[in-house]
Amino acid sequence: MQVTETSAEGLKREFRVVVPAGELEEKVTDRLGEIGRTIQLRGFRPGKVPMQILRQRFGTSVLGEVLENTLQGTSAEAIREHNLRPALPPKVDIVSFSEGTDLEYKMSLEVLPDIPEPSFADLDIERLVVEVPDEDVDRAIERIAEQQRKTEIAERPAESGDIIVVDVEGRSGEQEIPGASGKDRRIALGSGGFIPGFEEQLIGAGAGEHRTVRVTFPVDYGVPDFAGKEAVFEVEVKEVRQRLPVVIDDELGKAVGLESLAELREEVRQQMQRDYEAASRLRLKRSLLDKLAQSYDFAVPPGMVELEFDNIWRQHEAEKERAAQSESPAAEAASPISEESPETAAEGSAAEAAAPDAGADSGAGAAQGSDQEADAKEDEDALKTDYRRIAERRVRLGLLLAEVGRSNNITVTQDELNQAITREARRHPGYERQVLDFYRQNPEAVGNLRAPIFEDKVVDFIVELAKVEERKISPQDLLTLPDPDAVGPDTSEGASN
């Protein structure tokens, strides 16, 4: 094999590789010999099939197999000989080849850059520390108590704040209203139902009473067939239930599976502390990555940047499509009746669709449309420029973190992967077995779990070496800080192990 470097520009390399015909022929002959020792052909004893017959029957397929293996093997050998670290799999283009002639091909690839040895001793970062105030725990306990609040049957007409149990049937003209009818529906009066005037007409109703409720759907109702139309609901009131006073005692703790109120308070405090620490860590990590991005600037492989940009752009297009679907009038509307309580009532909303003015001049409209298209194209080009910058930042940080991990023997253990898979399974109650089987059968999906674990371990390693200053902050101040996840797609840097 003869390997000649033909181009070395930045991180791009190109090579001309020539594999002698004799070497290929030897591999073809050896492979045909392997086949001949096991193949059974009519008229020949096993292992006695003449080479000429083997070439006639299997020569073409064997030559293709040998060619593919030779391209893979020789390209890998050329990379090793030149001590290259490919950023991506090499691209191979055959220049010339036919049976009995030398194989010549061109190999092009991008290599990983030389990354400066990082030093973190002078890196200053801030860690926000939050202590959970007692009043925050009190408010959380009160919300839990409200959710666990009991009711009892009231022998009186219904009042605002009561819950009534009803059988209901809703129609608009001859058409039944989807989601509006049902047996033993629980309606919280005063919860601010979807259709104005619905609940007010049920106040004063008693158990065993029938009421006909007439309302008009909002003009922006999510289902166009009913928007702005009148509707009639036939309601049979079966029970009127009044809410009992909120009780905060040991029984509240037992109602949620704990032993006492004190244990519930401690559980709530710990959960809130974990949430605040997670938010604080997210900001520390983002601050750290920002400082690394400012401190380290080196060339990155264009192919890796392009792959990352494509990933970001696909996410952007998917978000646009989801947003368009959610704004569509055909989106599924919420039930017009709010059930249970004000805290758990289903809330509906309908998006307003902007329509062109019916009296607009068609020529002016066309010109305006052309201008809008030009503006949209300009906005999209600007957005792509920003996303390419973000992609380059992600790749550079990913390479830097990967190098830190490699040089310091930071790895992801199988136990850590198993824990991550278990957490994923628990996120899908009832489908745990399917999730476990999915990861067992898809190594690539396991790799997607490995990357963020590796990244977090590298970040923790760097934080240990950096100068970290702690600053106490209230939960309110922490939560009013700009959300690191709301700045765009530049929120997960993605280092590979």
Side-chain angles (χ1 to χ4, degrees):
M1 180 181 70
Q2 179 184 355
V3 181
T4 305
E5 188 174 42
T6 58
S7 177
E9 181 180 349
L11 298 177
K12 295 182 178 180
R13 302 287 187 274
E14 287 188 1
F15 297 88
R16 174 179 173 270
V17 182
V18 178
V19 182
E23 185 176 329
L24 293 170
E25 174 58 27
E26 182 179 349
K27 292 180 179 180
V28 169
T29 302
D30 290 345
R31 179 65 180 130
L32 288 173
E34 292 176 5
I35 294 174
R37 286 190 290 273
T38 58
I39 195 69
Q40 293 185 0
L41 291 181
R42 188 173 183 179
F44 298 97
R45 288 180 296 168
K48 298 298 183 179
V49 181
M51 181 61 67
Q52 181 179 0
I53 300 297
L54 291 173
R55 284 188 181 275
Q56 291 175 351
R57 295 287 299 271
F58 307 107
T60 301
S61 61
V62 167
L63 182 60
E65 177 186 331
V66 167
L67 178 61
E68 181 178 353
N69 292 338
T70 299
L71 290 172
Q72 292 178 354
T74 55
S75 60
E77 184 179 348
I79 290 171
R80 286 194 300 270
E81 286 180 356
H82 287 77
N83 295 317
L84 301 177
R85 296 174 60 199
L88 298 169
K91 180 182 178 182
V92 172
D93 294 310
I94 296 177
V95 176
S96 63
F97 174 71
S98 60
E99 189 172 1
T101 67
D102 293 347
L103 165 65
E104 179 181 348
Y105 67 88
K106 180 178 72 173
M107 178 177 69
S108 56
L109 70 157
E110 295 177 0
V111 297
L112 293 174
D114 293 326
I115 300 174
E117 184 175 352
S119 174
F120 306 118
D122 297 328
L123 188 63
D124 295 321
I125 52 178
E126 181 182 65
R127 177 186 284 120
L128 301 177
V129 179
V130 177
E131 294 181 358
V132 181
D134 289 340
E135 52 268 29
D136 285 8
V137 177
D138 292 340
R139 283 192 289 269
I141 294 293
E142 289 170 1
R143 288 193 294 270
I144 295 173
E146 182 65 35
Q147 293 168 3
Q148 296 293 326
R149 192 173 178 180
K150 292 180 171 56
T151 62
E152 66 178 7
I153 294 178
E155 301 293 344
R156 56 167 173 76
E159 300 175 356
S160 180
D162 288 341
I163 293 174
I164 58 174
V165 181
V166 303
D167 292 344
V168 59
E169 180 179 316
R171 292 184 174 277
S172 179
E174 298 299 320
Q175 190 172 2
E176 185 174 346
I177 302 169
S181 302
K183 300 288 187 181
D184 296 325
R185 301 286 293 271
R186 297 169 65 90
I187 301 175
L189 300 182
S191 63
F194 189 83
I195 305 177
F198 179 85
E199 294 172 15
E200 289 82 350
Q201 297 181 54
L202 294 174
I203 291 177
E209 185 176 342
H210 174 91
R211 286 205 175 183
T212 299
V213 177
R214 302 181 185 276
V215 294
T216 301
F217 281 102
V219 294
D220 58 354
Y221 187 63
V223 180
D225 287 348
F226 301 113
K229 293 184 178 180
E230 294 183 353
V232 177
F233 294 87
E234 301 296 340
V235 182
E236 295 286 346
V237 180
K238 302 173 76 172
E239 285 182 0
V240 176
R241 304 190 68 87
Q242 62 184 359
R243 297 172 183 274
L244 296 177
V246 172
V247 178
I248 299 177
D249 56 14
D250 285 342
E251 292 302 316
L252 178 60
K254 294 176 182 179
V256 295
L258 300 175
E259 293 296 325
S260 64
L261 177 61
E263 187 174 342
L264 174 59
R265 289 184 62 86
E266 184 60 26
E267 181 70 25
V268 168
R269 183 183 299 276
Q270 290 180 6
Q271 182 58 56
M272 295 177 74
Q273 191 69 56
R274 286 192 293 268
D275 292 342
Y276 291 138
E277 288 175 355
S280 174
R281 173 181 168 77
L282 179 62
R283 297 178 190 284
L284 179 142
K285 177 180 176 181
R286 182 53 185 258
S287 174
L288 170 63
L289 294 175
D290 286 344
K291 289 182 179 293
L292 292 178
Q294 295 168 6
S295 303
Y296 295 92
D297 186 16
F298 49 86
V300 294
M304 294 184 72
V305 174
E306 192 63 27
L307 285 176
E308 185 62 33
F309 168 77
D310 289 343
N311 182 47
I312 293 173
W313 192 252
R314 280 196 301 270
Q315 292 178 10
H316 168 71
E317 292 292 302
E319 287 295 333
K320 276 178 53 179
E321 184 175 348
R322 280 194 291 269
Q325 290 176 349
S326 67
E327 293 174 1
S328 170
E332 182 177 358
S335 167
I337 302 175
S338 296
E339 296 192 56
E340 287 298 334
S341 68
E343 292 75 28
T344 59
E347 297 180 359
S349 64
E352 294 182 1
D357 190 58
D361 178 75
S362 59
Q368 183 181 9
S370 178
D371 290 341
Q372 290 175 344
E373 288 179 7
D375 291 342
K377 181 67 167 61
E378 185 176 340
D379 290 344
E380 182 175 297
D381 290 343
L383 192 61
K384 286 185 175 181
T385 298
D386 287 342
Y387 283 1
R388 286 190 188 278
R389 175 187 56 79
I390 290 169
E392 183 174 335
R393 168 192 155 106
R394 283 190 181 184
V395 171
R396 184 175 291 111
L397 284 171
L399 291 175
L400 178 63
L401 295 181
E403 181 63 21
V404 172
R406 186 187 66 81
S407 60
N408 292 280
N409 298 317
I410 298 173
T411 59
V412 177
T413 66
Q414 187 59 48
D415 185 53
E416 289 169 330
L417 278 176
N418 290 340
Q419 292 177 19
I421 293 173
T422 300
R423 286 194 296 270
E424 286 297 308
R426 287 174 178 168
R427 290 178 57 232
H428 302 83
Y431 297 90
E432 291 87 351
R433 174 54 56 188
Q434 291 92 323
V435 173
L436 295 175
D437 289 342
F438 171 77
Y439 282 107
R440 189 177 296 113
Q441 299 166 10
N442 293 273
E444 183 179 345
V446 176
N448 291 336
L449 292 180
R450 177 184 286 106
I453 298 173
F454 175 77
E455 180 176 294
D456 282 343
K457 294 184 73 171
V458 174
V459 166
D460 289 340
F461 174 81
I462 296 174
V463 169
E464 288 294 323
L465 300 177
K467 295 178 181 178
V468 181
E469 181 179 349
E470 293 189 348
R471 177 166 67 93
K472 289 187 177 181
I473 187 173
S474 70
Q476 291 73 22
D477 289 342
L478 175 67
L479 297 178
T480 54
L481 290 173
D483 185 356
D485 279 346
V487 297
D490 191 16
T491 58
S492 177
E493 309 307 334
S496 60
N497 187 3

